[in-house]
Structure formats: structure tokens, C-alpha cells
Amino acid sequence: MARDDGQLGAAKRAYRNAAAEGNRQEQARWANVIGDILKNRGEYVEALKWLRIDYEVSVKHLPEKQLLPTCQSLGEVYLRLEYFKDALIYQKKHLELAKDSSDLVEQQRASTQLGRTYHEMFLRSDDDHYSVRNAKKYFKSAMKLARTLNEDAPCNKATFLKEYIDAHNNMGMLEVELDNFEEAEKILTKGLEICDEEEVTYDDDGRSRLHHNLGNVYTELRKWKQAVEHIQKDINICHKIGHCQGEAKGLINLGELYYRLQKYEEAILCYQKALDLATSMEDENALAGQIDQNIETVKQAIKVMNELKKEEQNLKKLTRKVAIARGTSRERKCLMLQNACVDRLIEKSGMIFAWIKHCEFAKRKKKIATELCDKEKLSDSFLVLGESYQKLRNFNKALKWCTRSWETYKSIGNLEGQALAKVNIGDVLDSDGNWAGALEAFEEGYRQFYVLSLGPLWLIRIALQASIPSVQLSALENMHYSNMIRFDNVEEARRLQVLIDKLKQSKAIDLEPQNMAGDCCSETETEGDDGLSSMSDLSYIPKISKSSSTKLQSRADEEELQDDVPLISLCHSSKKLSKSKTAFLAKKVTLTKPIGTSPRSISRSTDSQAVGRKRVRVILSDDEDETDEVQCPRGRALKSLTEDFATSGERESISNITSKSIPGWWLYQ
């Protein structure tokens, strides 16, 4: 900081001398230098004052071409202040001036800045087709111009090299935001190769940005060693060159990585260091506020982890009770209590991104469902297991278990389950790069709601009272994302957005949270009394009324907790309507909602440093039964999962509904 103060003081003296001499070109240049120093110190408001002086002097006294660096600097500072409209004004003027003067280097710089601004606008919107298209357009243009300069103008290498490196960084950053991590890795690695080929110094800020984003990519891919290596290099470079904002953002990313690994003490230590840096800068209140929020998120995660450990102890007790109750009338009740406990463990492990534990609990749920001979719970367990493997980036296994979930839901006529399974299949395919297959799966999931509308009145009522609207919304939103991001089909995306808005405003979606709460309560409260209560996001799932809870308790006592029900009787189809068809499904609509989301790294703004949503790659030994023959308790062998398992309750067969033809216009009614 002392060095910066010396540079700033010298620059101000040079500015005053130039102004006194009437040397307008030097006056503008030194104003720009002062603005740049203040910008790097994070004092954006003060930097803006000096850059405005540069602009005014240049407009009045200098040739138009002299405005190129001025417009670039103003656009960058407005972007850092998140004044996007002002940023676009100066960045577009910068591009126009560059085109008028046929300056390819400045065109490339202007395109880069425009891409960054539209990228930031895209990050802050849900359905801004315009911003994402323009971000792609300008980043691609910047890359093309940089390549042209590289091939056709070798004499300009000293001028274009930084921009060429940054073009790879920005394209890689955009791929990270679009969840194309393997493609992002290729682009960013190529950027580092260019640095090595051109012998760029170790402490170059372009290198730091590439290391920063590669750290994010490897965190997403669960390649922890590579992630730490690149993030640490980013932090070291920023510290060496005095880039406080970059160093703080690198520490945020390192903190998030530790958070993902459930190393909470290390995460808080990183965040605290980042907070100290952020508070030392003049205009980084937003950054400091985000770090505070991240620290609070980690503290909440610590509480959930402690609850999870207690719940694991409870599961061990319940496991012993099940062993003691084998062959008695209490066996089924003990298994139901164990199932409710596992559901809570699945929820908590998902909230803190402990996906290996999540997978273990999903396998336990599958085993319990098999012992209960309950097809619906088995379908649920398959779906949760698929989610586990998706988060662990084992897409083949994820697809296998989501497909088996869909097949089993189909065998019991559960249209809601089929829809949810299709949405999850689509999500797996999208993560694996099969975008066309993903869109098809999302559309098939949404089609289930048209099928429901053809069904009998009682079925429609069940749909409205369960979590159908949330699953429907999920299908629509995924279809919207695929059309907008994957296929650049703006018209289709807009039509889907209209449907999404209508569904959100409908009365049906208003009914969903209350019934979801009731369904979740029915299993955990009546069947898991000696376990810990599940942790809920109260802003997402409102509490149910006392009278509703009493009714659910009474109904549960009548239908679910009869101690003298032998398990063998459940190997035949039940004709009773379930008290809670969607008890577990309701909780899976958002599929283990994380604690307020992961600690958010906001380093993807303004500095071309991106942070993703962090997925995982790990290979687990798979001890799941690969065959469809499952042993029912008491020794009865079942030939097929689709024939003899009991469901949680179906009133009548609805397979005839799904066979009806669906008009081509169903999607846009």
C-alpha cells in the first residue's frame, strides 16, 4: 500500500504540472493513470472522478481516437460498480471508435468488456435471453479478433498477447457458468499454455485469472488437489502484485472448496482473511457483505453436521431395534422408524453437500424399502441414489438409478413420480453433455401433467394436493433453460417463460407448500418419533396448522403403524389410497435443498474470474444389487420389482390413462 501511495502521489504531481503547462494530452493521460491506480485499490468512486476528468479533457481538446483508453476505463469502473447501463454506453462507444479507426486491438478489448458486462447481467437474471446471447456474441468476437491478431500481426504481439490470454479466460468463464466444465478446462488450460509459450512472467495478472477459473473448474469436477493448486497460485500472484480484490476473491474460492469438503474451520479462516482484505478497500462493501454471509452459512452447516452426527447415532439404535424385532409384529414399525431416520439423514447430508454420505444413506434407504416390500419407497430410494451419483459426477450410475426409479413408478401408476424421475434423468443427461436427450426427458416429464388432466376427478385432486405443481414447475424451468442456453431457441424459451409465470401465479402452486408440509410431517412425525426432527427451510415450507397435524397423526395411526401387520402381507398389491402418496417425493421436489446454497463466491464479476456451482467426480465401489430379484423378509423371493411389490397405496389402475394419445398442442395451452 505504501508503494501505491507513492505512485499515486507522483501521478497527481505529474497531473498538476501538465494542467499548469496546458499540456492537455499529458493532463488526460495522468488523470487516466490516477484513475487506474485507484481502480486497482478498489476505490471505484474516486477512480470514477479522475476518469471523468480524463474524458472531459479528451472530448474538448484531443482527437477522437484519444477517447479509446478513456472509454475503456470508464466502462470497466462502471461495470465494477455494477452500473451496467452506464458501462454499456462507454463500452459501445469504445467499440465504435475502434471500428472507425480500424484498430483491431481496441475492437478486441471493447468486445471483451461488452462480453463481461452482458455476462454479469445474465448472472443476475433468470431469463435474460438478450444478455446471454450478447455475452456469447462478444466473447466469441473477442476470441476471433485475438486469433486474427495472433496469426496476421506478429509485430503486435506485445499489444495483443494480454488480450489473447484474457479471451481464453473469458470464454472458459462463460463455459463454467453454463456447466460445461470439461470444455472450460480445455479453454483455460490452452490459455496457460499460451502464457508458457510466450514466456509470460509468473506474476502476471492474466495468469492469475486463468488459475482462478481453473480452480473453480476442478472444484466442480471434485479434483480437489488440482483445485487447491490453482486457487493457491491465484492467491499468491494477486498478493505479490498487490491486487487486494483478486486476493480476497481467491481466498473466497479456497474457503468454498473447504466448505465443500466439510472442513469448516479452514473455510472460516479463509473467509476471515478475505474479509480483512475486503474491509481494507474503499468501495468493496458488497464483497465484504457476501463474505459475512458465507461465514454465517458455514456456521449453519456446522450445526447441521452436528445434528447429522446425532441422527447417525439414532440410526444405529434403530438398526439394533430392527434386529431385535425380526420376525415379530413390531418389525414393520421399526423399519418405518428407520426409514424416517434415513430420510432425515439424506436431507441433512444434501444440505451440506456431503454427497458421499448422501449416497450411503440412499443405499440404506433402498435396503429398507426392499425389506418393507414397498415399491413406492423403493422408487424413492432409486431416485435419491441417482441424485447422489449425479452430484458425484458418476453419470452412468446416476442414469441407471433414475431410470429404474421411473420404471418402478410407472409399474405402480405414480404419474408424479414418473414426472420427477424424468426431470432428474434430463438433469443427468444435461450434466453429461447429452442436451437433446435432456430436453426430451424434460418434455416427457412435463407431459405427465397433461396425462393427469385426462384422468378421473379423484386423480386430479390428488395431483393438486400433492407436490405436482412444483414438479411441473421444475420440468418447465429445465425446458426453458435447455432452449435458452443449450439451443439458443429464444422464441421457445419465451413461450415457456409465459407458462412458468402463469404457473407461479396459479392457485394450484399456492396449495402446494401447505400440503408438502403435511406430507413431510406425516412420515417423520408419526413414524420417527424417537429420531430427531428434520430440519426445514421455514421460508420454503410453511408450518401446518395444529388441526391438520392432528388429522395426519390420526390417519397415520390407522393406516401405517399397526404393529400386528406382517411384512409378508405387503407382498401383494394394496387397493387402499395412501395417506401420503408423496411424503418423500414432496421433500425431493427440490432434491435436498442446500443450506441457503453454498457459500457464494462473487469473484466471477468484473475481473473475468468465475465461480461455478461446484459438482463432484468420485468413483465409489458399487455394492448395489444389480438384479431385479429381491428377497422379501421371511424368505419369499420376488421375481420382478414390477410385479409383486406392494405400493404405498393406489386406488385403481391408471395405466390406461397414460396410453391415451397426446395432442401436439398440449405444451402451449
Side-chain angles (χ1 to χ4, degrees):
M1 190 62 69
R3 179 186 173 187
D4 287 346
D5 289 339
Q7 290 179 341
L8 184 61
K12 287 183 176 180
R13 286 193 297 272
Y15 168 80
R16 288 193 294 267
N17 291 336
E21 295 171 1
N23 188 338
R24 303 304 181 187
Q25 185 165 348
E26 283 297 293
Q27 183 183 359
R29 185 175 77 83
W30 283 112
N32 189 280
V33 170
I34 294 167
D36 191 60
I37 293 172
L38 291 167
K39 176 195 71 178
N40 291 335
R41 289 171 55 164
E43 299 177 25
Y44 304 131
V45 174
E46 189 66 21
L48 197 58
K49 294 178 183 178
W50 285 96
L51 293 173
R52 292 293 305 177
I53 292 172
D54 172 22
Y55 183 80
E56 290 166 5
V57 172
S58 298
V59 167
K60 290 179 181 179
H61 304 289
L62 301 177
E64 195 173 51
K65 187 177 180 180
Q66 297 294 321
L67 285 171
L68 282 168
T70 307
C71 289
Q72 180 190 4
S73 297
L74 280 167
E76 184 177 357
V77 172
Y78 275 122
L79 172 57
R80 294 199 181 195
L81 288 169
E82 299 186 6
Y83 298 155
F84 299 128
K85 290 183 179 179
D86 295 300
L88 288 174
I89 289 171
Y90 289 102
Q91 289 163 1
K92 288 180 177 179
K93 186 172 181 63
H94 181 201
L95 183 59
E96 290 172 6
L97 291 170
K99 287 180 177 179
D100 290 343
S101 59
S102 300
D103 190 331
L104 294 183
V105 173
E106 290 300 325
Q107 287 180 48
Q108 198 276 338
R109 289 173 175 167
S111 296
T112 297
Q113 289 287 16
L114 282 163
R116 290 175 181 175
T117 300
Y118 281 117
H119 175 246
E120 286 298 312
M121 292 169 67
F122 164 61
L123 292 179
R124 286 158 175 74
S125 67
D126 294 327
D127 62 334
D128 192 343
H129 319 89
Y130 181 73
S131 291
V132 70
R133 293 185 83 183
N134 278 300
K136 289 181 181 178
K137 180 181 81 171
Y138 285 113
F139 279 149
K140 286 180 179 178
S141 175
M143 177 68 82
K144 183 178 179 181
L145 287 164
R147 188 178 296 114
T148 300
L149 288 164
N150 184 36
E151 295 172 354
D152 299 340
C155 61
N156 287 333
K157 278 191 176 183
T159 303
F160 84 85
L161 181 59
K162 176 179 172 56
E163 285 74 11
Y164 188 45
I165 293 169
D166 281 344
H168 285 79
N169 179 70
N170 292 329
M171 285 297 294
M173 175 182 62
L174 188 59
E175 294 296 340
V176 170
E177 292 300 335
L178 300 180
D179 291 343
N180 301 328
F181 303 119
E182 286 79 6
E183 184 63 25
E185 181 186 8
K186 292 177 185 177
I187 295 170
L188 295 167
T189 302
K190 177 63 177 176
L192 282 180
E193 289 173 359
I194 293 170
C195 289
D196 293 336
E197 290 168 4
E198 299 294 338
E199 298 181 350
V200 175
T201 60
Y202 170 80
D203 56 357
D204 180 75
D205 62 341
R207 276 188 185 269
S208 78
R209 287 190 284 271
L210 291 166
H211 286 306
H212 183 104
N213 284 327
L214 273 170
N216 295 326
V217 168
Y218 288 125
T219 300
E220 293 287 356
L221 297 176
R222 279 184 86 90
K223 297 181 179 180
W224 307 117
K225 184 177 179 180
Q226 294 98 314
V228 171
E229 178 185 347
H230 285 284
I231 293 173
Q232 196 61 61
K233 284 181 178 179
D234 170 41
I235 294 170
N236 292 342
I237 293 171
C238 290
H239 180 75
K240 187 173 182 179
I241 65 177
H243 187 2
C244 293
Q245 186 196 55
E247 185 179 357
K249 291 176 179 180
L251 286 164
I252 291 171
N253 279 3
L254 189 59
E256 184 173 3
L257 184 148
Y258 284 131
Y259 171 83
R260 299 269 176 171
L261 292 170
Q262 291 81 55
K263 294 184 177 181
Y264 299 129
E265 291 183 5
E266 292 93 332
I268 290 178
L269 182 62
C270 289
Y271 287 140
Q272 190 58 56
K273 289 180 180 178
L275 184 61
D276 293 341
L277 285 167
T279 53
S280 72
M281 292 183 280
E282 190 72 24
D283 298 311
E284 288 293 355
N285 293 332
L287 184 63
Q290 186 59 59
I291 298 169
D292 279 330
Q293 183 179 331
N294 287 1
I295 292 172
E296 184 59 33
T297 300
V298 175
K299 290 178 179 178
Q300 292 178 25
I302 293 172
K303 293 179 182 178
V304 175
M305 176 60 80
N306 291 334
E307 291 175 359
L308 187 145
K309 290 177 180 178
K310 292 179 182 178
E311 196 71 76
E312 284 187 285
Q313 293 300 316
N314 186 43
L315 179 62
K316 290 180 181 179
K317 294 178 183 178
L318 290 172
T319 302
R320 290 194 293 269
K321 287 185 179 181
V322 169
I324 294 171
R326 290 292 184 197
T328 71
S329 60
R330 286 188 52 81
E331 182 179 359
R332 182 170 180 272
K333 180 177 180 179
C334 290
L335 284 170
M336 293 296 289
L337 291 168
Q338 193 178 31
N339 181 73
C341 179
V342 169
D343 285 350
R344 294 191 291 273
L345 286 166
I346 288 170
E347 181 184 13
K348 292 179 189 300
S349 57
M351 292 170 73
I352 58 174
F353 302 95
W355 298 116
I356 294 179
K357 278 188 171 293
H358 190 275
C359 189
E360 294 172 359
F361 299 139
K363 291 177 184 179
R364 179 70 71 91
K365 181 174 179 65
K366 180 167 71 73
K367 181 180 178 182
I368 295 169
T370 301
E371 294 184 48
L372 285 168
C373 297
D374 189 321
K375 273 187 179 180
E376 191 154 345
K377 284 184 171 56
L378 191 66
S379 305
D380 295 343
S381 69
F382 290 162
L383 200 60
V384 178
L385 197 53
E387 183 199 4
S388 298
Y389 281 122
Q390 182 190 355
K391 299 298 185 182
L392 295 170
R393 298 190 68 79
N394 190 333
F395 299 129
N396 288 335
K397 287 186 178 180
L399 186 60
K400 180 186 79 170
W401 291 109
C402 288
T403 301
R404 287 184 66 177
S405 176
W406 176 78
E407 290 169 349
T408 312
Y409 281 131
K410 185 178 180 182
S411 74
I412 61 177
N414 187 330
L415 294 177
E416 179 188 359
Q418 292 176 61
L420 185 58
K422 280 293 181 181
V423 171
N424 281 22
I425 288 171
D427 201 20
V428 172
L429 292 172
D430 182 83
S431 298
D432 202 23
N434 185 352
W435 299 340
L439 180 57
E440 182 180 355
F442 295 143
E443 289 175 346
E444 287 178 10
Y446 185 69
R447 250 184 228 113
Q448 297 296 330
F449 304 105
Y450 178 81
V451 172
L452 275 172
S453 70
L454 299 177
L457 183 60
W458 69 268
L459 186 60
I460 296 172
R461 285 173 179 165
I462 289 175
L464 292 176
Q465 292 171 357
S467 58
I468 284 288
S470 288
V471 186
Q472 184 181 15
L473 182 61
S474 178
L476 280 172
E477 287 178 338
N478 279 287
M479 289 159 63
H480 174 269
Y481 178 86
S482 290
N483 280 287
M484 182 178 74
I485 301 299
R486 301 310 190 192
F487 299 105
D488 197 24
N489 191 340
V490 175
E491 282 302 312
E492 193 80 352
R494 284 174 178 165
R495 295 174 76 177
L496 289 165
Q497 187 62 47
V498 171
L499 291 177
I500 291 169
D501 293 339
K502 286 182 178 179
L503 183 58
K504 287 181 176 179
Q505 295 169 6
S506 69
K507 293 182 180 179
I509 200 70
D510 291 335
L511 289 173
E512 180 268 330
Q514 290 183 333
N515 286 285
M516 180 188 293
D519 286 341
C520 291
C521 176
S522 63
E523 185 170 15
T524 57
E525 288 188 3
T526 62
E527 295 164 355
D529 293 335
D530 52 354
L532 296 176
S533 60
S534 64
M535 182 175 180
S536 302
D537 182 348
L538 299 182
S539 64
Y540 182 73
I541 305 177
K543 293 182 179 179
I544 59 174
S545 65
K546 184 176 180 180
S547 59
S548 298
S549 179
T550 303
K551 291 177 182 178
L552 287 168
Q553 176 71 44
S554 174
R555 189 165 54 180
D557 291 340
E558 294 174 5
E559 298 182 8
E560 287 288 318
L561 297 183
Q562 298 177 19
D563 291 349
D564 57 349
V565 177
L567 286 175
I568 192 68
S569 68
L570 299 177
C571 293
H572 305 283
S573 294
S574 170
K575 297 297 181 181
K576 288 194 299 180
L577 182 64
S578 169
K579 72 170 181 72
S580 176
K581 253 178 112 253
T582 57
F584 192 76
L585 270 177
K587 286 185 283 187
K588 295 200 307 279
V589 170
T590 54
L591 287 183
T592 49
K593 183 180 177 70
I595 291 185
T597 73
S598 164
R600 178 181 169 221
S601 170
I602 56 176
S603 50
R604 56 189 172 191
S605 64
T606 67
D607 232 2
S608 298
Q609 302 180 26
V611 173
R613 286 167 287 282
K614 310 300 182 273
R615 289 202 182 97
V616 173
R617 181 184 293 278
V618 136
I619 302 300
L620 297 176
S621 59
D622 188 6
D623 58 358
E624 297 97 352
D625 185 4
E626 297 292 336
T627 69
D628 282 341
E629 185 171 327
V630 182
Q631 294 297 322
C632 192
R634 316 239 180 148
R636 178 176 175 181
L638 302 180
K639 295 181 181 179
S640 170
L641 292 178
T642 60
E643 292 178 1
D644 295 329
F645 267 35
T647 71
S648 294
E650 287 298 319
R651 183 169 179 175
E652 63 182 64
S653 173
I654 55 174
S655 59
N656 61 315
I657 299 174
T658 60
S659 65
K660 294 186 179 184
S661 60
I662 300 175
W665 45 261
W666 66 270
L667 187 59
Y668 303 113
Q669 287 294 302

